[in-house]
Amino acid sequence: MRIINPATEEMIEDVAEDNRLTLSNKFQLLKQAQHSWQHTALTDRIKTIQGFSALLETNLETLAGILTSEVGKPLQQSRNELKGAITRIQWLTQNAEQYLAGEWMKAETNPEEKFVYEPLGVVCNISAWNYPYLVGVNVFVPALIAGNAVMYKPSEYATLTGLEINKLLKKAGVPDAVFQLAIGAGAVGDALLHLPFDGYFFTGSYKTGKLVYEKAALKMVPCQCELGGKDPLYVAEDVRDIKDTAISAAEGAFYNSGQSCCSVERIYVHEKVYDRFVHEFVQEVKSWKIGLPTGEGVFIGPLTRKEQLAVLDQQVREAVRRGAFVLTGGKRPTHKGYYFEPTVLVNVTNDMSLMQDESFGPMIGIMKVADDEEAVKWMQDTEYGLTASVYSSNKQRAEGILEQLNVGTGYWNCCDRVSAALPWSGRNHSGIGATLSYIGLRAFTKTKAYHLKNPG
Ligand code: NAD
């Protein structure tokens, strides 16, 4: 499998892919090793993962460089991702003992009643490339802490990072057979669905997630899917500072070249502040430096996947054909690399592909609305349900709007952020199940209840 640098289109490395036989052998290793890992003390498993986190920290510059080389995100954003992963691991390791401890429900009675959290067993994690450290850590860290053995399939676009994760987990002390890598693309992912795992944890697109969920259902094992989004942001007329709001919204839409599951993908603005907001927004977008992701001060790098350029192109063309205006960007630059100019479109309607289908690139449609009611109507007009943001100086008003939306996360005066203490979940086409928080720790366990009757 050829690993291509998306900024230069040059090959970085050629990596051997797994096949059904190697995957089956790796599965057997995991199966044999899981039991003794489960019976290693929880505190020791936590210490091992803390060691992994320390290694991420000491190797941060090298790891950031590798990540940037294969996914194309600006180097500073790669560093930020690693720092974010370290913070998440900190929360998970600090809270695991409390939330994975069993509970006595009736300690003094006969029979006594208690329940414990047992690991699922051998779990499979099929992952995405856009934040390989963050979305990886969401799954394999709590899975390992909880006593599972893990088959980790990094995206084919984040293979080198997957190899580094494997190396550092082993260096930190995770037994070799407890964590295995599956290297390859869709066919390797599909092969994993034919092995008898005890749980599937998928991060990726709705299209693939649906396939994974269907196949896992027949096995009657837990399956969680963290999928895409078309996340809306509403700017009410009472925002304290239009410029700050525009800068915050623009960052939320274009950070990592818009390749975040919780990127802002649609913006609705109250008509009273629409013109000023659009002006400030476009000024901000035009101020960014585009270029090689290793370049100083670069905010917009290439897309990771060449195929997405055609999707963006098609979304712009359809929108323009139907009456939208491009205020900036709208096309690919002529130089090498999978670049697309940061693009802002107005005069859009909610039935355009730009406002309905995940763009997953540096592109946004901004639409004028008359009031909160109209904003809610358009925000809800989607098949996705990951996050939604409301910018307003009135908390009650914002919460009132967020309550009406079918999303896993609501933001007031912020966007595009994840907290390790809160469950990360999607509704509808954005997925099923949750990672992070104590719910995300327990997601890798099954409960066992005990009724303990003393014969005396
Ligand atoms: P993708 O669906 O193309 O691929 C995801 C993974 O599935 C990859 O490892 C891929 O090799 C594998 N795969 C592909 N075909 C498969 C098959 N038939 N069977 C089994 N596995 C298969 O998604 P992607 O392009 O890697 O990631 C981008 C998507 O992920 C976006 O939609 C984004 O919004 C979403 N995402 C969601 C979250 C979240 O937390 N909700 C986080 C990150 C990314």
Side-chain angles (χ1 to χ4, degrees):
M1 192 171 63
R2 288 154 57 89
I3 314 285
I4 305 290
N5 180 329
T8 61
E9 302 185 33
E10 282 159 11
M11 192 177 88
I12 310 173
E13 220 173 301
D14 212 341
V15 180
E17 276 194 75
D18 272 297
N19 55 49
R20 278 182 189 262
L21 182 63
T22 59
L23 293 175
S24 168
N25 291 341
K26 287 179 179 184
F27 177 80
Q28 290 311 325
L29 282 177
L30 291 166
K31 196 85 192 152
Q32 285 154 19
Q34 190 271 325
H35 195 252
S36 79
W37 178 244
Q38 173 176 349
H39 290 94
T40 307
L42 174 59
T43 46
D44 289 341
R45 296 198 299 263
I46 290 172
K47 266 195 211 117
T48 306
I49 296 299
Q50 283 166 336
F52 168 66
S53 181
L55 287 168
L56 291 181
E57 205 156 355
T58 28
N59 293 288
L60 195 134
E61 269 316 299
T62 313
L63 299 173
I66 294 170
L67 178 59
T68 287
S69 74
E70 66 179 338
V71 303
K73 72 175 67 185
L75 198 52
Q76 189 49 45
Q77 296 182 20
S78 289
R79 293 186 187 114
N80 295 348
E81 179 175 347
L82 276 146
K83 287 180 196 156
I86 291 164
T87 308
R88 280 187 198 183
I89 296 174
Q90 207 167 30
W91 191 92
L92 291 163
T93 51
Q94 281 171 358
N95 290 279
E97 271 192 272
Q98 180 189 349
Y99 292 117
L100 295 178
E103 288 180 48
W104 283 101
M105 302 314 287
K106 288 182 179 174
E108 311 297 333
T109 55
N110 195 19
E112 297 169 335
E113 292 180 9
K114 71 166 185 178
F115 72 91
V116 297
Y117 294 101
E118 293 182 345
L120 294 174
V122 182
V123 300
C124 177
N125 176 202
I126 300 177
S127 204
W129 48 264
N130 60 332
Y131 286 96
Y133 283 103
L134 293 174
V135 297
V137 158
N138 287 1
V139 175
F140 63 71
V141 162
L144 288 169
I145 289 176
N148 297 278
V150 180
M151 178 78 89
Y152 172 57
K153 186 201 152 334
S155 162
E156 58 273 35
Y157 297 99
T159 303
L160 302 179
T161 293
L163 290 165
E164 292 301 316
I165 287 172
N166 184 42
K167 205 164 71 190
L168 296 185
L169 279 170
K170 304 292 163 66
K171 201 167 170 189
V174 172
D176 201 37
V178 164
F179 185 86
Q180 293 286 312
L181 276 190
I183 298 293
V188 167
D190 182 65
L192 292 172
L193 302 174
H194 291 88
L195 287 166
F197 284 97
D198 299 307
Y200 286 87
F201 294 82
F202 175 81
T203 309
S205 62
Y206 166 69
K207 189 171 148 235
T208 317
K210 199 162 83 110
L211 289 176
V212 171
Y213 200 57
E214 274 170 6
K215 291 195 177 163
L218 299 176
K219 296 173 192 274
M220 299 285 280
V221 295
C223 178
Q224 289 200 171
C225 292
E226 307 227 321
L227 311 178
K230 192 71 196 169
D231 297 356
L233 181 150
Y234 171 47
V235 182
E237 82 293 350
D238 65 350
V239 284
R240 197 158 295 156
D241 188 315
I242 300 270
K243 186 172 178 183
D244 283 355
T245 302
I247 291 172
S248 171
E251 260 213 44
F254 291 90
Y255 190 83
N256 197 22
S257 291
Q259 301 170 114
S260 309
C261 52
C262 54
S263 282
V264 174
E265 288 247 345
R266 309 176 275 149
I267 298 180
Y268 303 97
V269 187
H270 195 286
E271 60 188 10
K272 286 194 180 143
V273 292
Y274 176 83
D275 289 338
R276 277 157 58 213
F277 176 86
V278 170
H279 172 75
E280 296 293 352
F281 191 94
V282 172
Q283 289 300 107
E284 176 63 13
V285 172
K286 283 183 172 168
S287 75
W288 293 328
K289 195 166 161 189
I290 308 165
L292 278 180
T294 44
E296 195 55 39
V298 166
F299 184 68
I300 300 283
L303 298 187
T304 305
R305 292 169 61 251
K306 188 180 185 179
E307 295 74 24
Q308 201 63 17
L309 294 168
V311 173
L312 298 181
D313 210 38
Q314 181 273 331
Q315 288 193 340
V316 173
R317 276 203 252 164
E318 187 229 26
V320 169
R321 197 179 64 240
R322 297 178 58 194
F325 307 129
V326 176
L327 297 187
T328 184
K331 58 182 190 322
R332 295 185 62 176
T334 46
H335 57 76
K336 255 196 171 198
Y338 309 151
Y339 288 85
F340 201 91
E341 292 173 356
T343 300
V344 180
L345 291 116
V346 292
N347 211 33
V348 296
T349 54
N350 223 58
D351 57 353
M352 292 174 178
S353 170
L354 167 71
M355 301 299 271
Q356 286 294 326
D357 305 317
E358 196 176 32
S359 303
F360 224 56
M363 191 151 87
I364 194 82
I366 308 180
M367 193 170 151
K368 191 190 288 183
V369 294
D371 51 26
D372 294 0
E373 203 181 320
E374 190 187 356
V376 168
K377 177 178 149 195
W378 296 129
M379 288 169 100
Q380 273 293 58
D381 178 30
T382 176
E383 287 176 318
Y384 290 101
L386 195 57
T387 80
S389 333
V390 175
Y391 282 65
S392 159
S393 53
N394 184 333
K395 186 177 174 205
Q396 217 180 352
R397 176 178 177 185
E399 282 197 292
I401 293 170
L402 293 170
E403 266 168 29
Q404 296 173 62
L405 305 175
N406 194 19
V407 290
T409 295
Y411 301 115
W412 177 45
N413 292 333
C414 56
C415 58
D416 189 27
R417 77 187 293 280
V418 178
S419 161
L422 297 174
W424 185 247
S425 68
R427 313 263 175 96
N428 298 331
H429 287 195
S430 292
I432 188 143
T435 51
L436 297 176
S437 78
Y438 75 85
I439 293 170
L441 276 162
R442 291 176 179 166
F444 300 92
T445 67
K446 51 197 172 195
T447 53
K448 183 179 275 174
Y450 286 92
H451 303 238
L452 305 170
K453 192 165 182 186
N454 191 327

